[in-house]
Amino acid sequence: MSAISVGQAVVLGVVEGVTEFLPVSSTGHLKITEGLMGIPVDDKSVVAFSAVIQVGAIAAVLVYFFKDIVRIMSAWFRGLANREERYHHDYKFAWWVIFATIPIVVVGLAAKPFIEGPLGSLWVVAGSLIAGSVVMWCADQMGRHKRGEDDTSFRDAMLVGSSQILALLFPGFSRSGATMSTALILDLDRVAATRLSFFLGLPALTGAGIYELKDALGASVGAVPLAVGTVVSFVVAYASIAWLLKFVAKHSFNAFVVYRILIGLLLFGLLGTGVLSN
């Protein structure tokens, strides 16, 4: 029998789609939801399921930013063949995304036993939610929001890309939260920080989903729930991306900071009272 039913897959797909690109920690929300539904959070195939349905959210980014991605990739291919094209910002940006993905891949493979073991604790998730909120609030206050997307550099990409490691090691910190906070500290404006977070997350999240597919299709999770969760996450994530870009154009990240703290405290409470088991 599958550890995740089709109905549960729908719920998890919605949670993944809503939270993957909001700076609130999709991993944290998935773990909380799985715990409340009685799904074995530490089951290897369940952990893999969470990684694979991210591909649906990633597909939403590919569709939403299709023109931008085609423009960047076209510039990259032109630059490979034509030396003069290598001065184009889009050509450089494509390489920056590739290089900025290397740190999280290396750490992810090296620390996989810890990520799936002690670092996957719900206590860690709760603490990371609150700690990440503090970082995000400080970054939003410190940042001067004066640099746009065209002002990004190789240094920006490497620092923002490497910050994804925080979310990898401390689920609950939030990949989006870590990357956006780092970008804000580097004085990028909120829209540029958000878009950079999307682009830098594409290779790592896609790779993680493909890598975990074999475990997700293991004995504990069926192909149907996996497919349903992935499709649902795609649809919901597309709407979430559109909303987020409009929101950050006019608002600070304070609403996310408050929400994360409340969820972190709630999780501590649920764990402390035994409603949720670690």
Side-chain angles (χ1 to χ4, degrees), residues 96 100 135-136 138-164 177-190 192-194 196-197 200 253:
W96 297 345
V135 172
M136 184 180 298
C138 291
D140 209 9
Q141 300 303 309
M142 292 168 54
R144 289 177 286 180
H145 315 294
K146 67 176 185 178
R147 300 172 58 207
E149 188 175 345
D150 291 338
D151 298 320
T152 55
S153 65
F154 175 69
R155 173 176 172 269
D156 297 329
M158 289 303 297
L159 289 173
V160 174
S162 297
S163 70
Q164 296 177 104
T179 52
M180 291 177 190
S181 296
T182 303
L184 290 173
I185 292 172
L186 295 171
D187 294 330
L188 270 70
D189 63 50
R190 295 186 183 97
T194 302
L196 185 59
S197 174
L200 289 177
F253 286 97

Side-chain angles (χ1 to χ4, degrees), residues 157-180:
M158 289 303 297
L159 289 173
V160 174
S162 297
S163 70
Q164 296 177 104
I165 294 172
L166 285 171
L168 187 66
L169 297 179
F170 305 104
F173 201 95
S174 169
R175 187 202 64 81
S176 296
T179 52
M180 291 177 190

Side-chain angles (χ1 to χ4, degrees), residues 207-251:
I210 295 172
Y211 181 80
E212 297 286 2
L213 183 60
K214 64 182 187 302
D215 292 329
L217 290 173
S220 297
V221 175
V224 174
L226 186 64
V228 169
T230 303
V231 171
V232 171
S233 72
F234 166 80
V235 175
V236 177
Y238 189 92
S240 179
I241 292 168
W243 176 84
L244 180 60
L245 288 171
K246 292 179 180 178
F247 181 85
V248 298
K250 299 179 180 179
H251 302 85

Side-chain angles (χ1 to χ4, degrees), residues 96-108 158 161-162 164-165:
W96 297 345
V97 171
I98 294 171
F99 287 130
T101 302
I102 295 175
I104 191 174
V105 171
V106 172
V107 173
M158 289 303 297
S162 297
Q164 296 177 104
I165 294 172

